[in-house]
Amino acid sequence: MTQHAQAAEAPKNSQRPLAERLAAYADSLRYEDIDAATIERIKSHVIDTIGCGIAAFDERPVRVCREVALAYAGGVSTVIGTGLRATPDLAAFANSAASRYHDFNDAYVGRFTGHPSDNIAACLAVAEAERASAAELITSIALAYEINCRLIDALDIAARNWDPPVHGLPAVALAAGKLMKLPADKLAQAVNIAINDHIPMGQTRAQTNSDWKGLAAPEAGRNAVFAAVLARGGITGPAPIFEGRKGFFQLVSGPGEVAVDGFGRKGVPFRIHQCGMKPYPAVIYSQTAIAAAIAVAKEVGDLERISAIEIATTKRGYEQTGRDPEKWTPENRDTADHSLPYITARAMFEGDIDNDSYEHAKIHDPRTLAFMRKIKVSEDPALTARTGPSTVPTRTTAILIDGQRITREVDDVPGFVGRPMGRADVEHKFRSNIGRRWPKQKTDAVLKALWALDETRDLSVLLGMLSLQA
């Protein structure tokens, strides 16, 4: 190597390892750095996440995860919806499994798409176990969102067929470690352990989807909480975990630059403001397709007039929802809510998509399956190029028997970054998720308490309000 080349590489080689820089950022972040608008946003996402979890309380995979979490006595963290407690890592797992199950929680669209609200359950569980203050809890959530989203921006692990929850590992490890008041050196070890221990594969979201589609992120959170516990005890992890000869950059993401100095802090916006909330329980790439499908169906009227449907989506939309033949014959909800043919057909038939849209009888309905055979899904590079936090475009064209073409193109829907949900919208979604589980008076009281999260004095009491049991 020439002296010139060595000199050119010197700044990069002399930079501290990324795990240490992330740890230093986590260690330095203070509640006072978080502005009022960000605190409001955090409360909105907590409320949305809890509502999604309550809605899924009785679903089979959620029940199994809850039973696993509660199988051993001696817990200190509330399993939401019950009056019972589990260890922090297992409570994080069970609660995140519930909030993630319906694919109705929030989304961040960067170089690929993630769901940073998957990390909220871990923050709640560890905060309760550590008897953290409201300020410490809110700071941990802001931190988890920031790390998760910024890594999505910088490192496109999906391009190499790894699963998006990968970036939740350092996010939760740092958030949990901060709640445990770990010093910077132990925060870095928590990152080292968490990343080395659990890298989920993209097969989770390919072909026929399994229960694990909704459990990969909860399991990453469970792993990351345990990593922080180990780091607190003095366990060290492989380093440098990102830059090492057999580390994350080499084996998982490819090379990348993570500009930690640009992360959210006082005077620098936090990434949570670039996260949207879904109006429909379905994969993010289908949200605009639902709106387009409903609009086309209204104009067509009699759907028997349709001879073919062409859906143009983004590259990731095609890969996630329209490439695999299994998406035309979904066997279960996990596949159906990632199937653009199914979601489009059901939206056109019913004029909406909700949690009841994935009932077994509807997924296997012969009329629906026959209609889906008329649908073709393809990528439009122009739509891919326009994709961003506020734009996930879809174009749907119905070709009628007489040759007429009816087209609708939709870039965003209410809840996306450009059309964010306010308090009234968040409450409306929460109430629809809660349904009839609680009387109105209790729902009102829960919402009032959750909107006052930044003032709560006892997180256990707050989480106890969420019990569904008599």
Side-chain angles (χ1 to χ4, degrees), residues 34-74:
I34 305 172
D35 58 282
T38 301
I39 293 172
E40 174 77 3
R41 202 71 200 149
I42 288 169
K43 291 190 289 187
S44 294
H45 284 260
V46 169
I47 290 169
D48 185 59
T49 301
I50 289 173
C52 291
I54 296 295
F57 186 83
D58 293 324
E59 300 288 355
R60 178 190 56 81
V62 175
R63 174 178 49 78
V64 171
C65 293
R66 185 167 62 248
E67 290 172 351
V68 168
L70 293 171
Y72 303 96

Side-chain angles (χ1 to χ4, degrees), residues 111-112 151-160 167 252-253 316:
R111 296 182 69 179
F112 60 96
L151 291 180
I152 287 175
D153 290 340
L155 306 173
D156 188 358
I157 52 95
R160 291 192 172 195
H167 291 326
V252 181
S253 70
R316 290 284 163 79

Side-chain angles (χ1 to χ4, degrees), residues 6 144 172 190 196 244 253 372-373 398 469:
Q6 288 176 332
V172 172
N196 187 74
S253 70
M372 288 165 61
R373 287 195 288 270
Q469 300 171 344

Side-chain angles (χ1 to χ4, degrees), residues 11 15 47 57 107 119 174 178 187 218 253 257 259 272 278-279 295 322 351 358 402 448 452 467 470:
Q15 191 177 54
I47 290 169
F57 186 83
N119 304 325
L174 289 167
K178 189 167 184 68
L187 288 172
S253 70
E257 292 292 329
I272 192 170
K278 293 181 182 179
Y358 305 104
D402 63 7
K448 182 178 180 180
S467 177

Side-chain angles (χ1 to χ4, degrees), residues 100-407:
R100 184 72 183 88
Y101 179 77
H102 283 150
D103 215 332
F104 205 7
N105 54 334
D106 70 7
Y108 177 74
V109 182
R111 296 182 69 179
F112 60 96
T113 300
H115 303 279
S117 62
D118 291 338
N119 304 325
I120 287 176
C123 294
L124 291 172
V126 176
E128 183 179 16
E130 299 295 321
R131 299 184 180 276
S133 68
E136 289 167 337
L137 169 62
I138 287 172
T139 304
S140 75
I141 294 173
L143 173 62
Y145 267 81
E146 194 70 10
I147 298 295
N148 202 339
C149 295
R150 297 286 186 168
L151 291 180
I152 287 175
D153 290 340
L155 306 173
D156 188 358
I157 52 95
R160 291 192 172 195
N161 296 319
W162 298 104
D163 201 34
V166 167
H167 291 326
L169 293 161
V172 172
L174 289 167
K178 189 167 184 68
L179 286 164
M180 296 175 189
K181 297 182 172 61
L182 302 188
D185 60 331
K186 289 190 174 183
L187 288 172
Q189 294 301 337
V191 172
N192 294 339
I193 297 167
I195 290 178
N196 187 74
D197 193 44
H198 183 92
I199 304 290
M201 295 186 293
Q203 185 62 28
T204 300
R205 270 154 252 284
Q207 296 174 277
T208 295
N209 293 342
S210 67
D211 292 336
W212 201 251
K213 175 175 73 68
L215 300 181
E219 168 62 5
R222 185 198 69 80
N223 253 272
V225 171
F226 187 57
V229 172
L230 292 174
R232 175 161 59 181
I235 300 296
T236 61
I241 195 63
F242 287 100
E243 302 87 352
R245 182 165 55 86
K246 297 182 180 181
F248 191 85
F249 291 158
Q250 180 67 26
L251 300 179
V252 181
S253 70
E257 292 292 329
V258 182
V260 179
D261 290 344
F263 283 17
R265 52 174 53 85
K266 185 180 290 293
V268 179
F270 287 87
R271 267 298 189 266
I272 192 170
H273 294 286
Q274 297 298 308
C275 296
M277 294 184 189
K278 293 181 182 179
Y280 304 107
V283 65
I284 187 65
Y285 304 106
S286 72
Q287 300 290 305
T288 50
I290 293 167
I294 292 170
V296 168
K298 285 182 179 179
E299 183 165 346
V300 170
D302 182 2
L303 299 184
E304 296 298 325
R305 298 172 60 206
I306 297 175
S307 64
I309 294 176
E310 297 173 351
I311 302 176
T313 184
T314 63
K315 178 182 179 181
R316 290 284 163 79
Y318 173 70
E319 292 172 348
Q320 289 283 312
T321 69
R323 176 172 61 185
D324 298 328
E326 289 86 352
K327 299 301 190 288
W328 271 261
T329 55
E331 289 296 318
N332 52 36
R333 181 200 169 106
D334 298 286
T335 306
D337 69 19
H338 271 53
S339 163
L340 205 47
Y342 177 79
I343 293 167
T344 297
R346 181 56 53 199
M348 294 182 82
F349 286 168
E350 298 186 348
D352 194 14
I353 291 291
D354 57 25
N355 287 326
D356 294 335
S357 299
Y358 305 104
E359 294 174 350
H360 184 272
K362 292 182 179 179
I363 292 174
H364 296 276
D365 173 38
R367 180 185 174 221
T368 302
L369 295 172
F371 191 81
M372 288 165 61
R373 287 195 288 270
K374 299 179 180 182
I375 297 174
K376 177 183 178 182
V377 179
S378 61
E379 179 202 352
D380 182 342
L383 301 185
T384 300
R386 294 195 350 243
T387 303
S390 61
T391 306
V392 185
T394 307
R395 184 175 60 254
T396 298
T397 301
I399 304 167
L400 306 188
I401 294 172
D402 63 7
Q404 181 183 359
R405 299 173 68 90
I406 297 175
T407 299

